[in-house]
Every structure is written in structure tokens, then in C-alpha cells.
Amino acid sequence: MANKPRKGQQHQHGGKKGRGGKPPLSAAMKKQRRREQAQKAPVSRFRKNLRHMERSKEAMEALKRQQDAERKYKQRMNSAVEARERDLDGESEEEEVDEREDDFETLVKTLNSGRKGAGKREEAIESEESESEEEEEEGEDSDVEEEEVEEPSKEGDDEMEVGSEDDSDGDSEEEVDVEDSEEGSEDEEGIEGDPYMAHISHNISPQLLESISVSPAVVQKSTIKFKKLGQLMIEIPKDRNKESKKSVLLEDEETYAPEGTVPKALNLAELDPKKLFLKERIQRHLEQPIFTELQAECFSILNNYQDLYYPSRTLDNGESLRFVYCLHALNHIIKSTSKILHHNLKLAEAANNKKQKKKIKNAISSAQEYRDQGLVRPKVLIVAPFRSSALKIVETLKKQFAGDEAKAVTNYSRFQAEYGGQTLYFPKHNPKPEDYERVFSGNTDDNFRIGISFSKSSMKLYTKYYNSDLILASPLGLRMTIGAEGEAERDYDFLSSIELLILDQAEICMAQNWDHVIHLMDHLHLQPQSTEHTDFSRVRYWCLNGWSRFYRQTLLLSSHDLPEFRSIFNNKCANYRGKIRAANPVKAGSIRHVVVQVPQTFHRIEVTSLDQSFDSKFQHFTTVLLPQLRSITMARCLIYVPSYFDYVRLRNYFKKEELSFVQICEYSKDAKIARARDMFFHGSSHFLLYSERSHFFRRPRIKGIRHLVFYQLPAYPQFYAEMINLMANEYQNRKDGIDASAMTVTVLYTKYDLLRLSAVVGSEQAVKIAASPKAAHTFTTHK
């Protein structure tokens, strides 16, 4: 009775009622309803998926009706044109206009009928949950303290889905910034010559599609030379049937996407910011001069929407390259977001203003213009190895997007706390190499993923995957989200519409686990398992046709060239605009940094195929080389093994043969490593099996090496000289005596290791060694 309203209370509050004319509920009744709602069984996943399937089916049917109506209209227009040509005494101009208006009205009615049917179906599906949603909204407005009903959290939620209270569910698409209103004309029609519009606005011609779909693709190869990037190998897909094209009627006419062109380097002396096609918001935050020579050459390729593989990234030019690809990615996102917002406004205005029938007809007749989205919202994916790298990328994006406006970036303080700090300890006595300290400075956690959304006025961190424009993640973080085949919780639909892929510091990703990168590439542009986040009326036709992989631009940056990187670039990148690879010969390899005077013998192992090379190398090592190494004169022999699979194979063989050896790999604990180093230094063990990944992540100084065997050439060329220099006198056990003339270095390689060999001895020398009839070549360092 305490909650019963007094007489006249309804009149006193203006006679207000709840939603739908219902009287307002008391606090106790709201509490009771929420308890009853919490006890109800949640909607099953099967039922949700069934609803999504029904909605997508109705959307496809509506799309089909729309295409049929457009085709019939074009046929009528063609027939009308032919009739006018045959009979010059036809109807007057006014009658033709009336007839066109009748055709438009018929087209509008056809489309509206399909939309109304789909709308009624959606209303019927959503009506079942309206009552529960109503009760939840009423409960939020209650001033009485009540018990909270927590929903069970989903399994597998990651940090991207635990956004703060500032996170939204994609509402940024409805925000309009007044300061960017001057860009309306640009977003409506697009700047003439804008490479973004030329790249994404049109479908690929059937002839060009045929050229890039075959394996190998039909391309036109050429070579150009830039001042900083060096020699560039260019492959541009070409329409092989271009000369045989014939004129077609109106209903078959279509503007196709232009073929790729050879990029031209920007001239810094005559650089015009307006010709860079950058959005105004980005331009006002750029400092002068905008680019260095290297940045200008890279941006000329990226802005031409062509794939780029640059295997000469260093610790010195890494910041410059990061600035360029962040600028290109941000410009791509803002252009896409601005176009979607303007189209939303135009469609809403046409729908609300019923008097302006002409605008409605124009909007319907130009439906191709309003297809401005992919199957899902995420359009840019940046892969980086460490959280420290992610921190630098976000800071660069923040500076380019917001400048000094701290309020324009949401959740930035939380991001700095989670992605900053945690620098490894670097000893001052016997310091680590300089490159090691620069790579591993900062937060070296390799398991992260974060979503970033952009509107015209704000940049929001920690958004959910499907509400994000950009996803920044590590290979391991993406692998855990994607999952493996057979797992119950998997999600890779957010990768179905990636338009720009950036893989930075690929050599570090290689050391972590290259299988994660391959797994990621295999799950790009797959058909989504759910249509929950898809608006089929706004999806581009080339995306519906399954051609998204031909529109994806890929940027691959690494410190050196490896077959694994080339394999990704050649087999997983199929940009219809073409791809460019920097192919600069190595003038002097890392062998020039060897300071120890020791003979270095390179043994070539003859193989017939790549699969056979692993067995042939193992057979040669165990039957030819190992019997010599087991001699007492070859004690303190370190065997450097780059591949972990080869490492495990050798370890099992050594155990089987009961050889005297110790081992150090990336999974060895500190105590075991210390014991192995001590036993090897004092001669208690004849062999030391040493993995390359262990050396990459720890970089210890192995002392006491008298004989060094490279089971395969290092993937990181600087490790070759670094390991040999550990054979210097200061690292030897002087109690056992030192005979520098008895020390040896042996290197095994095959014809498939030519890139690694070039990085060590130089490209010119590597070609001579590989083509030589001799199987063994010896190099000696001179003072």
C-alpha cells in the first residue's frame, strides 16, 4: 500500500503514462519484473542465427527485386531510344517526360513493396523482445536502489570487448561534426582524381578478373628505380582481351575500375599538399615539411593503392615508415567514414521529405552510389609484434588525427597504462647488442588486440571488433581470437572486409611464430558465418561477389628478405592495382663484420626439391659431417640450428646415439641454460645444440666455442658475425690452452637458401658460389 498512488496524483504529473499508454510501474513491480525476466531462459544461439538467416534471405530477395526492376527500366529506355531513331514523328517531348515519370513511379512502387515486406517481417521478429527491453529501460530510470541482475559473460571475451563506459555500439556513424561541413561536396562527389574513389568505387571488368584469378596471374612486369627505395620490381595485372572489346547497349554499359599504373615519386621541391588527397582534418595537424625523401616515395606507392614489400626496414628508418602507413590508413578510414555519414544524411532527408519526389527517384535510380560499405565495419588491420610497437602506432595516429586535443581520444589514459612501461632489464656490465636493446625496449607482451573507431570528431579506443574501423593486434592475439578448426568458440568474420593490411616488423613476427601469420592470411576475406553486422543494402557489389581480396592493399615491412616473406607477398596478395617489391642487391653481407681470423667453409648440399632438402641435409650431417665432429680434436662444438623442427630432430638423434651434448632452446629455463653454458665452457659436454630463437630472445654470450657449425644459414644475417665473434680469445677457457689455428666454422646450405646466403656474403658473391661446380668454398677474415 505504500507504493499505491494517491488520488489526483496522475493529474498532478500531467496525466503521463508509460510507453504505449500503460500506467507507470512502481519500484517494487519493476523489481519483480526484472527478477522474473532474469529467471527466463536466454534466447538460444540457434534462434538468433535463424533470425539472421531469415533477415539476410529477405534482404537478398529485395536486392534481386531491385535489380530486376532496374533491368526492366533500362530495357524500356533502350526500346524508347530505338523507337525514336526509327520514327522521327514520334511523341512530343512532354509526353516522353510523362512516360519517364510513370516508369519511375512503377520502379518506386516495386522497390517499396519489397522493403515493406522485409520491414514487416523484421517487426514481427523483434516484437517478441520488445516487452523485456521496455522493462529494462524503465528499470534504468528508477531512483530506488535495487538488486542488480548480472548476465553471464560470454566465454572467450577479450580485452577489446571490455570497453569502458565511454564505449558505444557504433554510434559514431551518426555523429556529424560542424567543423568538417566544408568537406560535404568532396564526400558527395569525390575529388576529381582521388585514388581512393578510383580504387573502391567500381567493379573489376570480367577480363581483368580473369587475368588476376588464374595462377600465375597475367601481369605486365617492369622495373623502375627510386632514389631512396632503390630498384623496384612492379607487377600490374592487365586485361589480356582489352583489344577485343566490343560496344554494348545501354543495359550492359558499366564503368569498370581502372587498371594499375606505374607510380611516380613525389617531388619534394614542388610538393602540393592538395595533390596528396589528404582530408582537411589530417592536413591541419601535419608539420612542415611533411615528408622526407623516403616517406615521399613510400606514400606515392601507398596512395596509388598498390601492394608494397620493403625488406630494408631498419631501426633508424622504422619511425619514418610508421608515420607514412599510419597517415595512409587514417586517410583511408576518414574518407570512408565521411562518405558513409553523408550518404546517411542524404537518405534520411529523402525519406523524411515526401514532397521532394524527384530526390527520392534520383536516390533510388543511383543505388550504386550508396553502396559504400563492406560486409562488416573493420577495414584496416595493422599487425605488430609487441605492445610497445602498438603504443607507438596509436600515438602516431593520435597526433595525426587530433594533434594536441587530448579530449578527442577516448580511453587513452587506460591505453597508456596497459601498453606502456615494463621495459626489460639491460645489464650495464657486458651489455646486450644495441639492436637487441632497441627492439626489446618497452612493453614486450606479444598477446594483445585492440579495436579503434573513428568519427569526424573523435577517436575511440577499446571498441568491439564489429564497431571498429581499425584493428591493431599481434599475430598471437589474432590467432587466439580466430581459433583453430574444431574449436567451439571461433570468430573470424571481422576479417571478411579488410581493405588495408599492414604487417610491420615481419622479422620479429617470424621469430615469434610465423604460423600465426599464415593462419591469419588464410582467414582473410572468408564468407561470414553470421549476417548480424551486415547491411546488404549498403554493401558494395564487388564485396558481395566475393572479390574483396582483389581490392585489399597490403604493406609488408621487414629488415631483410626471406623466402617466407616472398611467399606471403606472391601467393596471398592479389591486388588488382598491382604490387611492388623492393629488390636491392646486398653489396656487402654481414660477413664483413667478422673480426675473428678463422676459416669459414660453406658446403653446398645438392637437392632436387624443397621437401627433399630437409632429409638430404639431415642425411649429409649425420653421415658425412658428424663422424668428423665426434673426434676429440673437435671438442666444444656448437651447432647453431635456425629451425625448431630441425633442432628437435637433431636432439632426438643425439639422445639415440648417446652423444655427449647439452642443449639450449627458446623453451629452456634460466637454470638449465646456466648449467648448459657452464658444462660447455669447461668441456664437460662435447656438443651444444643451440636454437636461433633462443639467441633472438635472450642474446647470451656463449663462451668456449672452438668449432661452430651452422646447420642452416641464420634467418637474421647479423647473427652470423655475432656467433663467430664469440670465438675470440677473451671468451675462451685459458686453462685448456688456446689454439686459434685449430678453430673452424662450417656452414651448410642448399640452393633454396640463396636469399640467406646473399645476406651473409653479398648478392654478387652468392650467385657465384651457387653457380660454381665446387661444392665447398672457404672464406678467411684478414686484418
Side-chain angles (χ1 to χ4, degrees):
M1 295 298 293
N3 293 325
K4 183 176 180 181
R6 300 186 302 271
K7 291 185 179 181
Q9 185 176 6
Q10 183 175 357
H11 177 73
Q12 182 182 356
H13 292 276
K16 291 185 179 180
K17 295 182 178 182
R19 289 198 313 172
K22 298 179 181 179
L25 300 177
S26 64
M29 295 177 67
K30 293 176 183 177
K31 185 176 181 180
Q32 181 63 24
R33 284 202 175 186
R34 279 197 299 275
R35 288 178 177 175
E36 294 175 356
Q37 186 67 25
Q39 293 175 358
K40 291 182 180 180
V43 182
S44 64
R45 184 180 296 274
F46 173 76
R47 189 177 178 186
K48 289 182 180 180
N49 293 336
L50 185 61
R51 290 177 185 173
H52 297 326
M53 293 173 62
E54 290 175 351
R55 292 178 185 175
S56 62
K57 183 177 180 181
E58 290 165 358
M60 294 301 293
E61 291 176 354
L63 176 63
K64 185 176 180 181
R65 287 193 296 270
Q66 177 182 346
Q67 293 175 348
D68 292 341
E70 291 177 355
R71 179 177 54 80
K72 291 179 181 178
Y73 170 71
K74 289 181 180 181
Q75 290 178 351
R76 291 182 184 178
M77 292 297 295
N78 284 332
S79 62
V81 173
E82 294 174 358
R84 283 199 301 271
E85 292 177 354
R86 289 194 302 265
D87 188 4
L88 298 177
D89 299 330
E91 299 176 350
S92 63
E93 185 175 352
E94 296 180 358
E95 294 176 350
E96 292 177 359
V97 173
D98 294 338
E99 183 179 352
R100 269 182 217 163
E101 291 182 354
D102 294 339
D103 292 336
F104 270 121
E105 291 176 359
T106 304
L107 179 60
V108 172
K109 291 179 181 179
T110 304
L111 296 177
N112 287 340
S113 63
R115 292 173 181 171
K116 288 179 180 179
K120 290 179 180 179
R121 178 58 182 165
E122 291 180 1
E123 290 177 2
I125 294 174
E126 295 175 354
S127 63
E128 301 176 1
E129 302 176 356
S130 61
E131 183 178 353
S132 61
E133 293 174 357
E134 178 180 327
E135 293 170 357
E136 291 176 2
E137 292 181 3
E138 291 174 353
E140 292 174 358
D141 299 332
S142 176
D143 296 331
V144 183
E145 242 183 46
E146 301 171 358
E147 296 180 2
E148 294 183 359
V149 180
E150 298 182 357
E151 294 182 1
S153 59
K154 291 184 179 179
E155 295 181 1
D157 286 351
D158 52 31
E159 65 175 340
M160 290 188 50
E161 300 175 353
V162 190
S164 68
E165 60 185 3
D166 295 326
D167 295 346
S168 64
D169 294 333
D171 294 337
S172 60
E173 293 189 1
E174 299 179 1
E175 299 176 6
V176 180
D177 194 357
V178 179
E179 65 183 1
D180 291 322
S181 60
E182 66 273 8
E183 300 178 7
S185 59
E186 298 177 5
D187 295 317
E188 185 174 350
E189 300 294 339
I191 304 177
E192 184 178 356
D194 188 354
Y196 168 78
M197 295 300 300
H199 179 65
I200 58 96
S201 296
H202 307 289
N203 292 331
I204 308 174
S205 66
Q207 294 80 10
L208 183 60
L209 178 63
E210 181 182 355
S211 298
I212 61 179
S213 299
V214 296
S215 181
V218 179
V219 298
Q220 180 178 350
K221 298 182 179 181
S222 59
T223 304
I224 61 174
K225 190 171 184 179
F226 281 1
K227 187 174 181 180
K228 292 297 182 180
L229 291 179
Q231 186 175 355
L232 302 177
M233 307 293 292
I234 303 175
E235 296 182 2
I236 299 179
K238 291 296 181 181
D239 178 4
R240 53 184 175 184
N241 300 324
K242 191 172 184 179
E243 299 179 355
S244 62
K245 286 185 178 179
K246 300 180 180 179
S247 59
V248 293
L249 294 176
L250 178 61
E251 65 173 321
D252 294 327
E253 288 182 353
E254 183 179 353
T255 302
Y256 292 115
E259 296 179 354
T261 57
V262 177
K264 296 181 180 179
L266 298 175
N267 189 354
L268 293 179
E270 303 175 358
L271 185 61
D272 184 3
K274 296 182 180 179
K275 294 183 179 180
L276 298 177
F277 302 99
L278 295 175
K279 298 295 289 184
E280 178 63 27
R281 182 177 185 89
I282 300 177
Q283 290 187 29
R284 60 173 172 258
H285 294 134
L286 295 178
E287 300 176 355
Q288 297 293 337
I290 301 176
F291 294 135
T292 62
E293 234 174 339
L294 175 64
Q295 291 173 335
E297 293 176 358
C298 288
F299 188 79
S300 63
I301 297 175
L302 296 182
N303 206 33
N304 206 28
Y305 278 89
Q306 293 174 316
D307 296 346
L308 174 62
Y309 170 36
Y310 184 60
S312 299
R313 184 194 187 279
T314 63
L315 296 173
D316 296 326
N317 64 20
E319 292 294 333
S320 300
L321 295 173
R322 183 181 294 114
F323 174 85
V324 174
Y325 70 67
C326 286
L327 179 67
H328 177 62
L330 182 61
N331 191 44
H332 180 88
I333 291 172
I334 294 181
K335 285 181 179 180
S336 176
T337 303
S338 300
K339 180 164 288 295
I340 292 173
L341 291 178
H342 279 279
H343 286 171
N344 290 345
L345 292 176
K346 290 171 66 177
L347 291 176
E349 180 183 357
N352 294 331
N353 195 347
K354 298 181 179 179
K355 295 181 180 180
Q356 297 181 0
K357 295 183 179 179
K358 187 176 181 180
K359 287 187 177 181
I360 299 177
K361 294 174 181 178
N362 291 337
I364 296 174
S365 61
S366 60
Q368 171 72 18
E369 176 189 354
Y370 294 93
R371 294 190 171 274
D372 48 17
Q373 303 176 17
L375 293 172
V376 290
R377 182 173 174 179
K379 55 184 68 69
V380 176
L381 175 62
I382 301 180
V383 181
F386 299 129
R387 285 183 181 246
S388 59
S389 305
L391 178 64
K392 295 177 182 178
I393 292 172
V394 172
E395 287 178 345
T396 304
L397 291 171
K398 173 182 175 293
K399 186 176 181 180
Q400 294 172 352
F401 179 80
D404 297 330
E405 303 173 19
K407 295 182 179 180
V409 182
T410 308
N411 297 327
Y412 186 65
S413 299
R414 172 189 169 188
F415 175 79
Q416 284 183 313
E418 294 183 0
Y419 283 75
Q422 299 185 11
T423 302
L424 293 178
Y425 170 73
F426 300 119
K428 295 183 179 180
H429 180 67
N430 292 330
K432 301 288 185 180
E434 180 186 359
D435 64 314
Y436 180 85
E437 293 188 0
R438 294 180 65 179
V439 167
F440 290 94
S441 61
N443 193 332
T444 56
D445 183 13
D446 62 349
N447 184 10
F448 65 90
R449 52 272 189 196
I450 181 173
I452 308 175
S453 66
F454 294 87
S455 68
K456 283 192 172 181
S457 59
S458 66
M459 171 182 172
K460 191 171 298 183
L461 305 177
Y462 293 100
T463 53
K464 296 181 181 180
Y465 276 134
Y466 296 98
N467 297 332
S468 305
D469 297 299
L470 183 148
I471 295 176
L472 176 58
S474 65
L476 177 60
L478 289 171
R479 179 65 179 265
M480 295 182 67
T481 303
I482 295 172
E485 187 175 355
E487 293 183 1
E489 294 292 336
R490 300 190 67 195
D491 186 13
Y492 50 83
D493 289 354
F494 61 93
L495 299 173
S496 60
S497 296
I498 296 297
E499 299 170 4
L500 177 58
L501 171 63
I502 299 172
L503 179 57
D504 195 8
Q505 295 179 285
E507 72 281 358
I508 301 181
C509 298
M510 178 82 175
Q512 291 173 343
N513 196 332
W514 192 245
D515 286 340
H516 296 338
V517 178
I518 297 177
H519 191 73
L520 163 65
M521 301 300 294
D522 291 338
H523 286 81
L524 285 173
H525 307 299
L526 298 181
Q527 183 177 355
Q529 303 299 307
S530 172
T531 59
E532 179 181 0
H533 307 280
T534 305
D535 181 5
F536 285 98
S537 63
R538 301 288 293 275
V539 179
R540 300 185 183 98
Y541 283 124
W542 52 261
C543 197
L544 291 173
N545 292 335
W547 300 342
S548 297
R549 65 189 184 97
F550 301 130
Y551 284 79
R552 188 193 77 231
Q553 182 185 20
T554 305
L555 173 62
L556 179 59
L557 301 176
S558 67
S559 62
H560 51 275
D561 199 1
L562 284 177
E564 290 82 358
F565 303 156
R566 287 200 185 184
S567 176
I568 289 287
F569 190 71
N570 294 334
N571 301 325
K572 301 295 184 179
C573 300
N575 189 350
Y576 81 91
R577 297 280 295 174
K579 50 188 177 183
I580 299 174
R581 175 175 62 87
N584 298 313
V586 181
K587 295 182 180 180
S590 61
I591 195 173
R592 62 177 175 170
H593 298 295
V594 176
V595 296
V596 179
Q597 296 186 26
V598 57
Q600 306 158 46
T601 305
F602 291 75
H603 290 275
R604 184 176 69 243
I605 302 174
E606 301 297 337
V607 295
T608 57
S609 65
L610 180 61
D611 294 335
Q612 183 208 355
S613 63
F614 302 101
D615 295 333
S616 299
K617 188 183 303 181
F618 180 77
Q619 186 72 16
H620 178 86
F621 177 81
T622 55
T623 58
V624 178
L625 190 59
L626 187 59
Q628 303 174 13
L629 298 177
R630 297 177 68 173
S631 172
I632 190 64
T633 58
M634 301 294 287
R636 293 189 177 89
C637 177
L638 185 144
I639 303 175
Y640 182 94
V641 189
S643 172
Y644 183 72
F645 299 103
D646 291 333
Y647 172 87
V648 173
R649 191 175 187 179
L650 288 176
R651 182 193 64 189
N652 295 340
Y653 181 81
F654 277 30
K655 288 182 177 181
K656 179 181 177 182
E657 296 294 324
E658 297 182 351
L659 299 179
S660 173
F661 78 101
V662 289
Q663 54 181 315
I664 298 177
C665 69
E666 56 269 30
Y667 303 109
S668 301
K669 297 182 180 180
D670 293 340
K672 185 177 181 180
I673 294 175
R675 184 168 59 255
R677 293 174 61 185
D678 182 74
M679 293 178 65
F680 182 74
F681 178 74
H682 291 94
S684 301
S685 297
H686 189 93
F687 293 101
L688 170 60
L689 281 181
Y690 190 54
S691 71
E692 183 175 71
R693 290 174 65 185
S694 176
H695 189 71
F696 179 87
F697 287 107
R698 298 177 183 270
R699 209 69 71 89
R701 295 187 178 184
I702 307 297
K703 298 181 179 180
I705 304 174
R706 302 289 179 89
H707 304 278
L708 178 61
V709 177
F710 288 95
Y711 189 78
Q712 184 184 8
L713 281 164
Y716 304 87
Q718 68 271 23
F719 290 173
Y720 178 81
E722 193 172 310
M723 293 301 301
I724 296 179
N725 290 336
L726 291 177
M727 301 173 69
N729 290 340
E730 57 265 28
Y731 301 120
Q732 300 296 331
N733 189 347
R734 299 182 180 275
K735 295 181 178 180
D736 295 342
I738 302 174
D739 185 8
S741 60
M743 296 183 181
T744 61
V745 175
T746 305
V747 182
L748 304 181
Y749 73 97
T750 66
K751 62 180 181 180
Y752 299 104
D753 297 324
L754 186 60
L755 290 178
R756 299 190 182 198
L757 183 62
S758 301
V760 171
V761 301
S763 299
E764 184 178 355
Q765 193 69 32
V767 172
K768 292 181 180 179
I769 293 177
S772 174
K774 295 182 180 179
H777 296 79
T778 303
F779 294 83
T780 305
T781 304
H782 300 283
K783 289 185 178 180

